[in-house]
Amino acid sequence: MPSNNQAIKETYLISQRIAQHFHPHTKARYQILVVNNRFDQVFNFFFELQRSSQLPHSFPLHQVTYYDLAFLEKIIQLLQAEYGFTFTFRNFTGLFWPSTQQKISKHFRFKLANNLFNKDNLANNNSQNS
């Protein structure tokens, strides 16, 4: 596993890139999105910005190539100490933080009935509701 210095270097690089995009603005929402790319075995960081009455923008920040949850956890801890942004984790379903054994994120699946938008199903639902 890389040293703490490597985690600090990764965090510093992410922080520099956040500073490029972060300009405090009233009525704006800022968050950090962390994506687990299982296929390439990397963690991707994005800065997400949404101002009122505007569509959200997502800026790529960095790709952590050392694919280890303990290393990622250290980077997250360092970033959380520096920023008060919300952190969102995507594609971490079923994974736990190594130090606390807490779930990283919960993923809810909505089960839809087959052919939900089929005309026959809609007609049946409408006749049952009448």
Side-chain angles (χ1 to χ4, degrees):
M1 179 169 162
S3 66
N4 276 347
N5 287 340
Q6 185 61 31
I8 291 169
K9 286 178 185 177
E10 297 277 357
T11 304
Y12 180 73
L13 201 120
I14 293 169
S15 294
Q16 283 184 319
R17 293 181 181 165
I18 289 172
Q20 293 173 353
H21 300 290
F22 177 63
H23 306 289
H25 189 272
T26 58
K27 297 183 182 179
R29 188 176 75 184
Y30 305 96
Q31 69 180 8
I32 305 294
L33 172 65
V34 183
V35 180
N36 179 11
N37 184 339
R38 295 182 304 255
F39 303 109
D40 292 333
Q41 294 193 340
V42 295
F43 300 112
N44 294 306
F45 283 78
F46 297 90
F47 181 74
E48 294 192 331
L49 158 67
Q50 183 172 12
R51 292 190 177 117
S52 62
S53 72
Q54 289 185 356
L55 294 174
H57 289 74
S58 182
F59 304 97
L61 295 174
H62 186 58
Q63 186 177 70
V64 176
T65 57
Y66 185 73
Y67 194 69
D68 180 67
L69 284 178
F71 186 66
L72 176 67
E73 184 176 23
K74 182 66 177 169
I75 293 171
I76 297 297
Q77 289 169 348
L78 291 168
L79 285 171
Q80 286 177 332
E82 189 173 344
Y83 296 102
F85 299 137
T86 300
F87 284 76
T88 305
F89 300 92
R90 190 170 293 156
N91 297 336
F92 285 87
T93 305
L95 298 177
F96 296 84
W97 290 117
S99 67
T100 61
Q101 292 305 306
Q102 290 183 346
K103 247 186 185 177
I104 295 175
S105 66
K106 294 180 182 177
H107 179 71
F108 299 100
R109 292 183 184 205
F110 297 101
K111 187 174 181 182
L112 298 175
N114 290 338
N115 299 321
L116 180 66
F117 297 107
N118 187 330
K119 287 186 212 175
D120 297 332
N121 286 343
L122 290 174
N124 289 339
N125 286 340
N126 288 337
S127 64
Q128 289 174 355
N129 291 337
S130 300

